[in-house]
Amino acid sequence: MGKLVIKGLKECQKAFKMLPDRVSRKVVRQAMRAGLQPMKARAQELTPVKTGDLKRLIKVHVRKGKRRGQIAIDVQINKGSNAFYGAFEDLGHDQVHGGRKDSGGVVTGHYPGSHFLDRAFDQTAQGCKATIERGIRAGLEREVAQLGQELKGQ
């Protein structure tokens, strides 16, 4: 799966420093969640459909980043009753008959996988990145204006 890294936004860094950490994280999280919706929609369009379960399980998931202060947001197959087969459908798998491959089963073929999550990323990454950048700027302007109003009221 690909990775979008947004660096820079130098004019926004000063605004981030003016805001409390909780508020700046909220701005980034909201912008990223909104920015990844087109990628989620594209992944759902590209998903092979038999029952529709896999398509419904594609979600935008927010989590903590690996480093302190980072936020990570993924478009992924969410946990559900039949979610396990999403990886087989996306990445591919061996067709095995006569038991498990490691205990005497015979590999009779290979399903290459449709790579719908990778294709959705490749097709929408640049548009998502631009949407996230606009969302961060708009969110910062909104929060800085709100902070200014609160300070005027005091």
Side-chain angles (χ1 to χ4, degrees):
M1 187 65 181
K3 184 177 187 178
L4 276 179
V5 177
I6 297 177
K7 293 182 178 180
L9 299 171
K10 292 185 184 216
E11 66 276 5
C12 294
Q13 290 176 349
K14 289 180 184 178
F16 272 125
K17 290 179 182 175
M18 292 173 52
L19 296 172
D21 286 342
R22 178 183 53 81
V23 175
S24 59
R25 280 193 306 267
K26 179 181 91 169
V27 167
V28 172
R29 190 174 51 247
Q30 287 175 344
M32 290 177 73
R33 186 179 285 279
L36 289 180
Q37 291 303 320
M39 190 178 296
K40 172 189 168 189
R42 187 65 183 141
Q44 287 174 328
E45 290 171 9
L46 295 172
T47 302
V49 178
K50 285 187 182 177
T51 64
D53 284 346
L54 186 56
K55 185 181 282 196
R56 283 189 295 277
L57 290 172
I58 296 175
K59 304 288 181 196
V60 175
H61 178 72
V62 181
R63 60 181 171 84
K64 291 182 180 180
K66 292 182 180 179
R67 295 187 186 143
R68 185 175 174 197
Q70 281 186 338
I71 298 170
I73 298 189
D74 305 316
V75 175
Q76 67 181 28
I77 300 168
N78 205 23
K79 295 176 181 153
S81 61
N82 292 325
F84 70 93
Y85 80 92
F88 299 140
E89 193 66 50
D90 188 37
L91 303 173
H93 59 87
D94 288 334
Q95 295 171 337
V96 180
H97 291 282
R100 294 172 52 111
K101 184 167 45 172
D102 59 356
S103 61
V106 178
V107 176
T108 59
H110 179 76
Y111 176 75
S114 59
H115 302 283
F116 58 91
L117 290 174
D118 289 335
R119 289 187 298 144
F121 177 84
D122 292 340
Q123 294 172 10
T124 61
Q126 294 307 313
C128 289
K129 186 175 179 180
T131 302
I132 291 168
E133 289 172 355
R134 283 192 308 272
I136 288 173
R137 284 189 178 93
L140 282 174
E141 290 172 8
R142 181 186 67 238
E143 293 296 332
V144 168
Q146 184 177 353
L147 182 62
Q149 292 293 330
E150 289 174 6
L151 292 175
K152 280 183 184 179
Q154 289 180 353

